[in-house]
Amino acid sequence: MSTFTQLLLIAVGSALVNNVVLSQFLGICPFLGVSKKVETAAGMGVAVIFVIILASMVTNIIYTAILVPLKIEFSQTIVFILVIAALVQFVEMFLKKNMVGLYRALGVYLPLITTNCAVLGVALTNVQSSYNFIESVVNGFGVSAGFTIAIILMAGVREKIMYNDVPKSFQGSPIVLVTAGLMAIAFCGFSGLI
């Protein structure tokens, strides 16, 4: 199998087949919290793409260049959390200075990327799967693209739900959770893709 094919399988597999939100159930808090409008969902998706790709690069370098040679691989989770927190602070400062509207729209959910378990999950998956630098970046891109696809789809559906006649007992969070469950079932259809 060629390298390009292998990278394509990693990207498609992490984006659709093993979608971080709908298959692995990581990153649910921002998925449910920011998916009220397509614009803010897309903004959150772009921020997550940037953070996950950057985190995949930096954590791979730190793991292979520092933790493995020093034989302190056991500290990977703590080190990865610190790296992710620093990267999110960088993104937050950038958005606050350059994209004020998006910064305000994301509100409290931007700092939630720090505790978004999807970001940490990608870094740990890259280590557990023994991905090299390029494979880690491709996996990070695939996971973040899958997150973005899922959150934008959910936002689109939620915008349509607002204009529908939803029974009183299902209004609010219940209909959102039912929708998320149906989306997860739909994404199970991708399991035969790879």
Side-chain angles (χ1 to χ4, degrees):
M1 183 176 346
S2 70
T3 304
F4 178 75
T5 306
Q6 185 178 1
L7 294 176
L8 186 63
L9 286 174
I10 290 171
V12 171
S14 57
L16 298 176
V17 177
N18 296 317
N19 186 283
V20 70
V21 177
L22 300 172
S23 295
Q24 298 176 5
F25 307 111
L26 299 174
I28 297 293
C29 184
F31 174 70
L32 296 176
V34 184
S35 62
K36 292 178 183 164
K37 292 186 177 183
V38 173
E39 295 83 23
T40 53
M44 179 62 132
V46 170
V48 167
I49 286 172
F50 181 73
V51 169
I52 287 182
I53 290 174
L54 205 54
S56 295
M57 286 193 258
V58 173
T59 55
N60 182 277
I61 291 169
I62 288 174
Y63 185 79
T64 56
I66 298 171
L67 300 181
V68 171
L70 294 176
K71 297 188 184 340
I72 54 171
E73 298 95 341
F74 61 87
S75 64
Q76 69 187 7
T77 304
I78 295 169
V79 172
F80 291 173
I81 289 172
L82 293 173
V83 168
I84 291 165
L87 290 174
V88 170
Q89 289 300 315
F90 171 72
V91 170
E92 188 173 1
M93 289 186 303
F94 176 79
L95 289 178
K96 188 174 185 178
K97 182 172 176 132
N98 298 320
M99 300 176 179
V100 179
L102 180 58
Y103 175 77
R104 287 190 186 137
L106 292 176
V108 71
Y109 295 103
L110 187 59
L112 280 178
I113 297 176
T114 304
T115 58
N116 186 345
C117 51
V119 183
L120 180 61
V122 171
L124 294 174
T125 300
N126 290 340
V127 169
Q128 290 172 351
S129 300
S130 301
Y131 287 154
N132 61 30
F133 182 79
I134 300 297
E135 291 170 338
S136 294
V137 172
V138 169
N139 185 49
F141 173 75
V143 167
S144 57
F147 178 87
T148 304
I149 290 167
I151 197 169
I152 290 174
L153 286 174
M154 175 61 98
V157 171
R158 285 181 76 174
E159 283 184 355
K160 299 293 182 190
I161 287 175
M162 287 183 1
Y163 300 110
N164 291 335
D165 187 25
V166 178
K168 190 167 185 107
S169 60
F170 279 96
Q171 291 177 356
S173 296
I175 193 69
V176 173
L177 294 174
V178 168
T179 303
L182 292 173
M183 286 177 62
I185 291 170
F187 267 70
C188 285
F190 291 117
S191 63
L193 192 62
I194 293 181

